[in-house]
């Protein structure tokens, strides 16, 4: 056949038109499914099969157009269609409608896919991990002397502390990162649990006065190694190494550093390597958080101060230890809180940029002096200096704000603390306490049960859950939780809550047994007056309960009596003139009302 005649025949048989219409329709369909299928989680293999079928179908459509025509009377062979009258002949402009329809379908599917995908992305946005977020995992101790574990832990802690002072970064607290080993295999899972996108891994090797620090920054979601380095330095240069690492991480994550943040990150807290190592040993024991270990930490902190009397961090360590001792029944409030206050004040005289010292000073001022205004100023300054310091958010919310009745603010701070230290049992429990003081009991119970899912052996969560259940009137359940707490720890405060629940449930004999037990314990160790007050409330003796609460105030036991305005377990005493006079000394009514009104 003559080529020119063949091309003319292709045109006559509408092969060109069918080919163009098919290509337009096929392109529209392929573009549409590429936009829409992923939105509905349809696998890519399905998209590829459909596109392949479209490609394979093209020669079939062309061959069909050569041999057949679409007429008003149906599909006819071309020879038959040619012999039909013109009035009933084929529709010569049908291909134009196909092209227009294909284009319309393509545009519609494109915008449907974009709209649905954008909505889906918007819905997922709250769960996305922030780009400028990091967790510093425990550093591996490669030293031959395994006793140098405290040194590796200290390096990790100080790098974390320097990073935490960068407001543009989200930095997870050490309490949560310590749950993981140095170089875990399941980084995406860890990142999701901690709420961060990046992980810093490292190792430390110390021999005599030489130190080698290896670090690598990893995108935990893609397993991409963003930056790594090895530092071989003398022990005297360790602060410079920590500064270089912190700055390199900030640069890599494109975090903005203010001038003051650059100064703080580059700070050299002491010129004495001996004092620094004593300080690290102190923090090692402080992090264990038991009464005996806190006392050991004080000894090391004081040794560091003896070597370098201008070592601000060491004074902050002393303050941190003393402020927690009463909570572990390892010291009395009257003895410990003034020492914590003095040490924190000294630390700030030497370096007023220490968020830890501002936080501890705020606690001591509130728990001992009941000066909420000054405590709030110190807490806010601590958070300004270190926005990532979870303990500052935790204590600001759980102590001062909750005690003042500013429950919404307290819960906001508690949630922020959990965000920064998601695996901390104490911080999660304190958020439950915030709900409890706000009398949002169901939310408190849910938060505390969530905490106990993390660690069923955490006795404080059982204790607070017992208090919540007691306040809600579920006394049998409250007794069960208090008994669990009692089986896990010999903290006398558990006995006070348990005795109150027993007494109000009608079992006053058991409450009296606990009262005798507390009296004997008080001759051996510190037992809070508040615990005795709860026992007497359970026995129905309000006068004796009031006498013990007044003793709690005399003891300056702010961690107990400071919540006098909001503690549900003290409700039977509200309205009593003696009780109201006592409450006025701790949280004046005008201050409490204004705090509540400002929520």
């Amino acid at each position: 056949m003559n080529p020119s005649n063949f091309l003319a025949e292709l045109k006559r048989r509408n092969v060109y038109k069918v080919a163009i219409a098919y290509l337009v329709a096929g392109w529209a369909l392929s573009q549409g499914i590429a936009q829409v299928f992923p939105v509905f989680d349809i696998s890519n293999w399905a998209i590829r099969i459909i596109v392949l079928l479209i490609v394979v179908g093209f020669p079939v459509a062309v061959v069909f157009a050569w041999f057949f025509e679409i007429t008003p009377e149906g599909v006819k062979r071309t020879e038959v269609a040619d012999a039909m009258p013109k009035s009933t002949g084929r529709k010569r402009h049908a291909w134009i409608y196909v092209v227009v329809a294909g284009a319309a379908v393509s545009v519609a599917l494109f915008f449907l896919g974009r709209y649905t995908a954008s909505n889906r992305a918007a819905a997922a946005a709250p769960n996305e991990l922030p780009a400028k977020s990091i967790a510093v995992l425990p550093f591996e101790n490669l030293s031959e002397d395994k006793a140098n574990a405290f040194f590796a832990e200290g390096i990790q802690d100080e790098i974390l502390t320097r990073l935490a002072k960068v407001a543009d970064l989200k930095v997870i607290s050490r309490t949560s990162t310590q749950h993981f080993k140095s170089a875990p295999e399941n980084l995406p899972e860890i990142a999701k649990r901690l709420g961060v996108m990046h992980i810093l891994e490292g190792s430390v090797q110390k021999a005599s006065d030489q130190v080698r620090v290896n670090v690598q920054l990893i995108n935990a979601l893609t397993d991409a190694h963003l930056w790594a380095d090895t530092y071989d330095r003398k022990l005297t240069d360790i602060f410079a190494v920590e500064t270089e690492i912190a700055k390199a991480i900030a640069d890599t994550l494109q975090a903005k550093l203010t001038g003051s943040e650059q100064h703080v990150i580059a700070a050299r807290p002491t010129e004495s390597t001996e004092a620094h190592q004593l300080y690290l040993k102190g923090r090692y024991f402080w992090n264990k958080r038991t009464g005996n270990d806190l006392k050991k930490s004080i000894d090391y902190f004081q040794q560091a101060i003896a070597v370098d009397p201008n070592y601000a961090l060491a004074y902050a360590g002393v303050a941190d230890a003393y402020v927690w001792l009463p909570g572990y029944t390892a010291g009395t409030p009257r003895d410990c809180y003034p020492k914590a206050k003095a040490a924190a004040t000294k630390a700030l005289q030497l370096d007023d940029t220490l968020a830890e010292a501002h936080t501890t000073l705020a606690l001591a001022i509130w728990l001992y002096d009941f000066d909420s205004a000054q405590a709030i100023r110190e807490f806010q300054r601590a958070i300004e200096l270190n926005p990532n310091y979870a303990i500052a958010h935790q204590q600001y919310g759980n102590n001062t704000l909750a005690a003042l009745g500013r429950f919404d603010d307290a819960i906001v701070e508690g949630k922020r603390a959990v965000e920064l230290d998601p695996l901390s049992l104490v911080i999660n429990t304190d958020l439950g306490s915030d709900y409890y003081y706000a009398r949002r009991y169901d939310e408190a119970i849910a938060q505390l049960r969530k905490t106990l899912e993390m660690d069923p052996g955490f006795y404080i969560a059982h204790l607070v859950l017992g208090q919540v259940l007691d306040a809600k009137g579920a006394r049998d359940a409250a007794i069960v939780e208090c008994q669990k707490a009692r089986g896990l720890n010999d903290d006398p405060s558990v006995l006070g809550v348990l005795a109150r629940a027993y007494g109000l449930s009608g079992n006053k004999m058991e409450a009296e047994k606990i009262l005798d037990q507390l009296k004997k314990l008080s001759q051996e160790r510190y037992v809070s007056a508040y615990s005795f007050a709860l026992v007497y409330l359970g026995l129905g003796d309000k006068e004796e309960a009031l006498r013990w609460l007044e003793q709690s105030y005399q003891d300056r036991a702010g961690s107990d009596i400071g919540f006098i305005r909001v503690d549900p377990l003290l409700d039977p005493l509200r309205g009593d003139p003696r009780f109201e006079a006592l409450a006025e000394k701790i949280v004046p009514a005008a201050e409490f009302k204004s705090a509540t009104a400002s929520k």
Side-chain angles (χ1 to χ4, degrees):
M1 180 183 289
N2 189 309
S4 60
N5 292 338
F6 177 70
L7 294 176
E9 187 67 12
L10 287 176
K11 182 177 180 181
R12 189 185 73 80
R13 291 173 180 256
N14 293 319
V15 174
Y16 289 147
K17 297 174 182 178
V18 169
I20 293 172
Y22 186 94
L23 290 173
V24 171
W27 179 84
L29 181 60
S30 62
Q31 288 296 310
I33 64 174
Q35 288 290 331
V36 175
F37 275 30
V39 172
F40 298 101
D41 294 327
I42 299 176
S43 302
N44 286 333
W45 64 264
I47 299 175
R48 287 193 287 268
I49 288 176
I50 294 174
V51 173
L52 182 62
L53 290 174
I54 292 172
V55 173
V56 172
F58 178 73
V60 176
V62 171
V63 171
F64 184 91
W66 178 272
F67 288 106
F68 296 94
E69 288 286 347
I70 299 175
T71 73
E73 297 179 4
V75 177
K76 304 290 185 182
R77 289 186 64 86
T78 302
E79 294 80 2
V80 175
D82 287 342
M84 295 174 67
K86 293 292 182 181
S87 59
T88 59
R90 56 191 173 275
K91 292 185 177 181
R92 298 184 179 277
H93 301 295
W95 70 279
I96 297 177
Y97 297 118
V98 173
V99 171
V100 172
V105 169
S106 175
V107 171
L109 289 175
F110 175 82
F111 283 107
L112 173 64
R114 282 296 178 89
Y115 174 77
T116 311
S118 63
N119 282 351
R120 186 179 175 120
N127 297 321
E128 290 180 356
L129 300 177
K132 299 178 184 180
S133 58
I134 186 171
V136 182
L137 295 189
F139 280 20
E140 185 179 2
N141 175 32
L142 300 180
S143 306
E144 292 183 6
D145 184 358
K146 298 307 175 185
N148 280 327
F150 78 90
F151 187 76
E153 186 176 297
I155 300 299
Q156 174 222 3
D157 202 16
E158 293 196 359
I159 291 173
L160 186 154
T161 299
R162 290 172 192 265
L163 288 171
K165 293 175 180 177
V166 180
D168 201 28
L169 285 177
K170 174 187 175 182
V171 183
I172 298 302
S173 297
R174 177 188 178 281
T175 316
S176 288
T177 61
Q178 290 305 103
H179 287 261
F180 307 103
K181 60 182 182 180
S182 301
E185 298 176 355
N186 55 335
L187 283 184
E189 180 184 338
I190 292 173
K192 184 177 180 181
R193 288 188 67 186
L194 297 178
V196 296
M197 185 175 289
H198 302 97
I199 298 289
L200 183 72
E201 297 179 347
S203 64
V204 178
Q205 188 172 4
K206 177 176 174 288
S208 186
D209 65 341
Q210 296 293 318
V211 179
R212 169 173 289 183
V213 180
N214 289 294
V215 286
Q216 55 181 343
L217 180 64
I218 304 168
N219 183 317
L221 303 186
T222 64
D223 200 31
H225 287 57
L226 305 180
W227 167 80
D229 210 339
T230 298
Y231 300 84
D232 287 304
R233 304 288 177 84
K234 287 187 176 295
L235 191 59
T236 52
D237 294 330
I238 194 61
F239 295 127
V241 171
E242 293 164 358
T243 297
E244 289 178 37
I245 292 172
K247 284 185 175 179
I249 293 170
D251 289 343
T252 304
L253 300 185
Q254 298 181 344
K256 298 177 182 177
L257 291 177
T258 65
S260 60
E261 287 171 349
Q262 291 179 5
H263 174 73
V264 170
I265 286 179
R268 187 180 180 88
T270 181
E271 297 297 327
S272 170
T273 56
E274 181 186 357
H276 181 56
Q277 292 195 72
L278 288 167
Y279 169 78
L280 293 182
K281 287 181 180 178
R283 281 296 175 192
Y284 178 79
F285 285 104
W286 183 82
N287 282 320
K288 292 180 178 292
R289 298 295 183 88
T290 70
N292 287 333
D293 286 317
L294 287 172
K295 290 178 179 178
K296 287 181 184 178
S297 75
I298 291 173
D299 183 52
Y300 280 112
F301 291 140
Q302 289 178 334
Q303 288 183 51
I305 291 170
V307 175
D308 181 359
N310 295 316
Y311 197 178
L313 280 175
Y315 286 102
V318 171
D320 287 345
Y322 272 120
V323 85
W324 295 120
L325 276 177
Y328 293 89
T329 65
T332 66
R334 271 200 170 276
D335 179 51
C336 295
Y337 292 154
K339 291 178 180 177
K341 184 177 175 182
T345 301
K346 178 64 176 177
L348 293 173
Q349 288 173 353
L350 294 168
D351 182 356
D352 65 358
T353 67
L354 295 179
E356 300 86 348
H358 281 286
T359 300
T360 304
L361 181 58
L363 271 173
I365 287 172
W366 167 244
L367 297 176
Y368 190 79
D369 298 327
F370 305 113
D371 185 344
S372 61
Q374 181 61 26
I376 287 173
R377 285 193 290 271
E378 293 295 335
F379 275 127
Q380 291 177 341
R381 178 59 176 154
I383 292 170
E384 179 185 354
L385 288 167
N386 188 344
N388 291 293
Y389 190 36
I391 293 176
H393 293 281
Q394 170 204 7
Q395 296 300 333
Y396 181 32
N398 187 246
N399 273 284
T400 309
L401 292 178
L404 292 173
R406 292 173 56 180
F407 302 122
D408 290 346
D409 294 337
I411 290 167
V412 166
E413 293 296 333
K415 287 182 176 180
R416 177 58 176 161
V418 169
E419 182 184 352
L420 293 170
D421 204 346
L423 303 184
S424 167
L425 298 173
V426 172
I427 287 177
N428 274 277
T429 299
D430 279 356
L431 177 57
S433 295
D434 295 335
Y435 285 120
Y436 164 63
Y437 290 127
R439 296 170 191 260
R440 292 161 61 172
Y441 297 138
D442 290 340
E443 291 169 275
I445 290 170
Q447 175 62 32
L448 293 164
R449 293 203 185 282
K450 176 183 174 183
T451 305
L452 288 169
E453 286 176 5
M454 296 165 61
D455 184 357
F458 190 56
Y459 88 96
I460 298 177
H462 285 290
L463 172 59
V464 178
L465 181 55
Q467 291 175 306
V468 178
L469 292 168
D470 189 357
K472 198 176 179 183
R475 296 213 164 85
D476 289 342
I479 289 170
V480 170
E481 290 301 326
C482 289
Q483 287 174 334
K484 289 178 181 178
R486 185 182 184 185
L488 292 166
N489 194 286
D490 65 349
D491 186 344
S493 61
V494 176
L495 295 174
V497 178
L498 180 59
R500 182 188 185 279
Y502 270 131
L504 294 179
S505 67
N507 192 347
K508 293 192 176 182
M509 184 179 295
E510 194 64 35
E512 288 174 348
K513 287 181 181 178
I514 292 175
L515 177 59
D516 290 338
Q517 187 177 351
L518 283 175
K519 287 178 179 178
K520 291 178 182 178
L521 276 174
S522 66
Q523 297 173 5
E524 304 169 5
R525 58 189 293 190
Y526 171 69
V527 177
S528 71
Y530 174 79
S531 292
F532 283 102
L534 292 183
V535 177
Y536 283 108
L537 280 176
L539 293 172
D541 190 341
K542 293 184 179 180
E543 288 300 312
E544 195 65 11
L546 280 167
R547 187 178 74 81
W548 281 102
L549 286 180
E550 288 168 344
Q551 182 60 51
S552 183
Y553 171 72
Q554 294 300 322
D555 292 341
R556 316 303 283 185
S559 58
D560 295 324
I561 199 66
F563 296 97
I564 191 168
R565 292 281 187 190
V566 298
D567 187 348
L569 299 188
L570 301 181
D571 281 358
L573 299 173
R574 300 197 189 281
D576 185 292
R578 280 177 62 190
F579 180 84
E580 298 302 332
L582 179 60
E584 188 68 18
K585 294 178 182 178
I586 300 163
V587 180
E591 184 178 328
F592 184 72
K593 289 177 182 177
S594 64
T596 305
S598 67
K599 289 190 294 180

